[in-house]
Amino acid sequence: MSSSADKTAKKSATNEWVETIVVVAEALLIAIVLRSFLYQPFSIPTASMQQTLMIGDYFVANKFVWGYGKHSFSLGRYGNFTALDFELPITERIFGREPNRGDVAVFRPVPQNVEYIKRIVGLPGDRIQVRDGRLYINGTIVEREEIGTALDTDSEGDTREVTVYRETFPNGSVHIIQEISDNGPLDNTPEYVVPPDHYFMMGDNRDRSADSRVLSQVGYVPEVNLIAKAEARFFSIRDNIPPWQIWHWPANVRWDRMFESIE
């Protein structure tokens, strides 16, 4: 009886281990499917989208709303993070709708192998220009309203005073931008004509953003290189402190920026 009981106990323990492994494997599979096809988390390492997305913000991006493109299933690279880089051999996006002007997009510029995040300013066929710090779309100046000043700190710790504006696109999309001045290096540009099936991107922190205005670095972004639409912040911490360092949370977590949609 003792030997039989021991065998039963060992069999039960083995079954429990097998069940645990199966549960863990299923959870990993679900996480991989969610990340690959539906939603993917990202973090912000630079100042180019402040105040909309601050350094140390963590957000989730919708991967299916625009369908799937060349880099949709790559875990990719973002900032200093490097992971699996898988590229689909396709030239057009499949499924999904077209992006809207004003959407905040995660994408892969053609000359780069890292993910960028910027706001979609120009649609295919649009004429985009910046003159004296003001954005023009198809020859018409984009409305902006000054709402105050703020201090902006970049990833190198350089702090500048900025003027904050509420900008309204022709389609009614409203968002916040900021400028150090209206006479910076990218505040007077030639007119850009967005090619078919491409988009023109700009950062909301206009004087601290390398974006489509810099053709050699970002330039026009092919539709097939769009990865996801930024939808909501779920965590935010100052100074790019790793989230697992919970002992820094009380003084550094930006509680007011958590669980908010991205406009």
Side-chain angles (χ1 to χ4, degrees), residues 10-144:
K10 289 179 180 179
K11 184 176 180 180
S12 177
T14 301
N15 288 340
E16 287 182 2
W17 274 107
V18 170
E19 289 176 1
T20 300
I21 293 171
V22 169
V23 168
V24 170
E26 288 175 344
L28 288 173
L29 180 60
I30 291 171
I32 291 171
V33 169
L34 286 173
R35 184 185 177 95
S36 299
F37 292 93
L38 302 177
Y39 293 96
Q40 182 171 344
F42 293 90
S43 64
I44 298 295
T46 69
S48 69
M49 282 295 291
Q50 294 184 154
Q51 300 174 357
T52 303
L53 289 166
M54 307 286 289
I55 295 172
D57 277 357
Y58 289 74
F59 68 95
V60 65
N62 184 326
K63 301 188 75 170
F64 64 88
V65 64
W66 297 333
Y68 302 102
K70 186 180 294 186
H71 303 287
S72 292
F73 304 121
S74 170
L75 297 185
R77 300 170 54 163
Y78 195 76
N80 296 322
F81 175 74
T82 303
L84 178 65
D85 191 12
F86 176 73
E87 183 176 312
L88 290 177
I90 59 177
T91 58
E92 296 182 353
R93 296 188 68 79
I94 53 177
F95 311 121
R97 66 163 175 82
E98 293 181 357
N100 296 319
R101 193 192 317 276
D103 287 345
V104 177
V106 179
F107 61 93
R108 183 79 64 91
V110 172
Q112 303 289 333
N113 62 353
V114 296
E115 276 71 48
Y116 278 52
I117 180 164
K118 310 287 182 186
R119 191 176 298 279
I120 297 176
V121 170
L123 304 177
D126 280 345
R127 293 178 290 111
I128 305 296
Q129 188 174 22
V130 179
R131 301 203 302 262
D132 298 322
R134 299 298 302 273
L135 175 62
Y136 289 76
I137 298 177
N138 297 322
T140 301
I141 193 169
V142 173
E143 178 185 343
R144 76 177 189 187

Side-chain angles (χ1 to χ4, degrees), residues 2 7-8 12 28 65 70 81-82 138 151 162 164 166 186 201 207-208 219 230 233 235 238 242 252:
S2 176
K7 290 180 180 179
T8 301
S12 177
L28 288 173
V65 64
K70 186 180 294 186
F81 175 74
T82 303
N138 297 322
L151 293 178
V162 294
V164 184
R166 181 181 293 107
L186 295 176
M201 311 291 189
D207 291 324
R208 283 179 154 170
R233 292 186 299 269
F235 188 74
R238 294 182 180 88
N252 294 287

Side-chain angles (χ1 to χ4, degrees), residues 164 171 221 226:
V164 184
N171 64 350
V221 178
L226 298 177

